[in-house]
Amino acid sequence: METILRPLLVIGGSVLLTLLIGWATDRLMRKADDRHGETPLWGLLRRARVPWQVVLCAALLRGSYDESRLLQEHHVAVGRVLTLVLIGAAAWLAIRIAAAVVETSYSRYARAHHDPARVRRVRTQVSLIMRVVSAVVGVVAGAAMLLTFPAFRAAGASLLASAGILGIVAGVAAQSTLSNMFAGLQIAFGDMVRIGDTVVVDEEWGTVEEITLTFLTVRTWDERRITMPVSYFTAKAFENWSRGGAQMTGTVYLHVDHSAPLDAMREKLRDIVRECPAWDGRDYGLVVTDSTPSTMEVRALVTAKDADDLWTIRVTVREQLIRWLTERHPYALPRVNAADAVLPPGFPVPGRVPPARRTLPRGQQPSARSERA
């Protein structure tokens, strides 16, 4: 009877105590979250209740396993498994707590600063810091798990003795990976490109969606994803339309006839931009930038607060100006002139003999009297 009750009491008591402590902790954090609504820290910490309960349960079972006298022939193996679970759950809990603290700090900074560029820069740095912290915690947890095995502890001395050679070999083998990692840190803290920036890479423009220590993802306007190593942005030139501010100036080019009413086109452009919500109200204009024998090139200039609004206002201006010219001033549209050119007075026409030089047949020559007449 004791062989059945003892394991049930030990394991059941550990599980019950874990649930009780987890429920009490979650309730306390919920009250703290309701009392301190200005910070999301307590609400974010509630996400760590699962790893917290796993840590509690693993620790209680590891400490009370000897008293249960269960599976005595596998005592060492069960104890090692519980230790591994405890180490893994502790690493999981540490990552969740660090994420909650970092996310709270970022939220406070975002509320205190209204500059979108600075907020995006901090967001990029925070995301990379979290990835570094997660990687460090994972490596430490993995090393701690390996050290629980006696064979790995015995091999530790020889590994440390050859650490110099292994470091050189690993550095040569992982040269590209290490360069990408350092490039990721350089991007995060050098403020070269941030999450949310509008960039042009390989003649494709899009928005930076994700930055890691090794790669960067750009979401294009047609919802494609371009993934490239972060070392690309430290080794090659690229366009960052959000650098120094998201405001942009765009142009719309039209080819019209030389007789196009420029003053009326300027007034129409003014009406179009005033009615377009994408215009930021900074500037607009229309000028002639080039001329050909058959047409002239007209440039309409507009401004917007970001790249998306600039695209919207450009296509709106182009569409409405062409429609307005078609309906109100069709003569101003480009056309191919197939008629003969109007020659100046007295200009000789090719293939036509002037009347004074015509040769008449014999007997029909005009007389001197008729010429004087």
Side-chain angles (χ1 to χ4, degrees):
M1 191 67 177
E2 183 181 357
T3 58
I4 298 176
L5 290 178
R6 183 182 292 270
L8 288 178
L9 289 175
V10 172
I11 297 176
S14 299
V15 174
L16 183 61
L17 188 59
T18 298
L19 295 177
L20 182 61
I21 296 176
W23 174 81
T25 305
D26 184 68
R27 188 170 181 83
L28 289 175
M29 286 191 296
R30 183 181 302 176
K31 289 183 177 180
D33 188 26
D34 296 336
R35 189 179 300 112
H36 302 283
E38 71 281 358
T39 175
L41 176 61
W42 303 106
L44 294 174
L45 285 176
R46 290 187 60 199
R47 300 178 183 175
R49 59 182 179 271
V50 175
W52 166 239
Q53 291 178 352
V54 175
V55 168
L56 285 176
C57 187
L60 291 174
L61 289 176
R62 184 66 183 88
S64 60
Y65 173 71
D66 294 337
E67 301 297 331
S68 66
R69 299 177 184 177
L70 183 66
L71 299 176
Q72 292 295 319
E73 64 276 10
H74 302 290
H75 174 77
V76 177
V78 173
R80 187 165 296 155
V81 170
L82 290 175
T83 302
L84 294 177
V85 172
L86 179 60
I87 295 174
W92 185 14
L93 178 62
I95 292 174
R96 285 293 180 89
I97 294 176
V101 173
V102 171
E103 185 68 22
T104 301
S105 302
Y106 168 72
S107 300
R108 290 179 177 177
Y109 186 89
R111 287 197 304 266
H113 297 79
H114 301 286
D115 186 2
R118 297 180 63 181
V119 173
R120 289 199 304 270
R121 180 183 62 189
V122 173
R123 180 185 175 188
T124 302
Q125 295 174 355
V126 163
S127 63
L128 289 180
I129 287 175
M130 271 308 306
R131 293 181 185 276
V132 172
V133 170
S134 301
V136 171
V137 172
V139 170
V140 172
M145 289 180 179
L146 292 178
L147 290 177
T148 59
F149 296 91
F152 285 96
R153 286 200 301 266
S158 60
L159 290 176
L160 290 176
S162 59
I165 300 176
L166 290 176
I168 296 175
V169 174
V172 174
Q175 182 177 2
S176 60
T177 303
L178 292 176
S179 64
N180 283 329
M181 291 180 63
F182 285 115
L185 294 175
Q186 182 180 355
I187 286 176
F189 297 97
D191 199 22
M192 299 173 58
V193 61
R194 298 151 299 197
I195 295 176
D197 282 1
T198 302
V199 296
V200 178
V201 289
D202 292 339
E203 299 182 356
E204 295 278 357
W205 76 271
T207 304
V208 178
E209 188 176 52
E210 183 182 8
I211 299 178
T212 67
L213 289 176
T214 55
F215 67 90
L216 185 147
T217 303
V218 177
R219 178 173 55 84
T220 61
W221 64 273
D222 54 356
E223 299 184 355
R224 290 181 292 116
R225 266 68 175 179
I226 301 177
T227 302
M228 57 186 60
V230 292
S231 58
Y232 175 93
F233 293 87
T234 59
K236 297 182 180 181
F238 65 96
E239 296 183 31
N240 189 343
W241 292 359
S242 302
R243 180 76 175 180
Q247 295 178 344
M248 298 189 66
T249 300
T251 56
V252 176
Y253 288 96
L254 297 177
H255 290 274
V256 296
D257 191 77
H258 292 94
S259 60
L262 296 178
D263 293 335
M265 291 180 66
R266 292 187 179 97
E267 295 179 0
K268 182 60 179 177
L269 176 62
R270 178 196 61 195
D271 297 338
I272 293 174
V273 297
R274 287 181 177 178
E275 295 176 359
C276 183
W279 185 53
D280 62 355
R282 287 190 296 127
D283 193 16
Y284 75 94
L286 188 141
V287 294
V288 178
T289 56
D290 198 4
S291 178
T292 66
S294 58
T295 62
M296 62 180 177
E297 184 184 70
V298 177
R299 186 196 69 185
L301 183 143
V302 290
T303 58
K305 64 180 180 65
D306 54 30
D308 293 336
D309 284 354
L310 185 66
W311 171 264
T312 301
I313 192 172
R314 285 178 62 195
V315 296
T316 301
V317 167
R318 184 182 296 110
E319 176 183 346
Q320 295 193 18
L321 273 180
I322 293 177
R323 182 186 303 169
W324 176 76
L325 288 175
T326 303
E327 295 175 353
R328 300 293 183 85
H329 304 277
Y331 61 89
L333 298 176
R335 49 188 172 175
V336 177
N337 194 355
D340 293 336
V342 179
L343 301 177
F347 193 87
V349 179
R352 181 180 178 185
V353 181
R357 297 182 181 180
R358 291 178 182 173
T359 303
L360 299 178
R362 186 181 297 274
Q364 297 183 5
Q365 297 291 337
S367 61
R369 181 180 302 175
S370 62
E371 289 181 358
R372 287 195 299 270

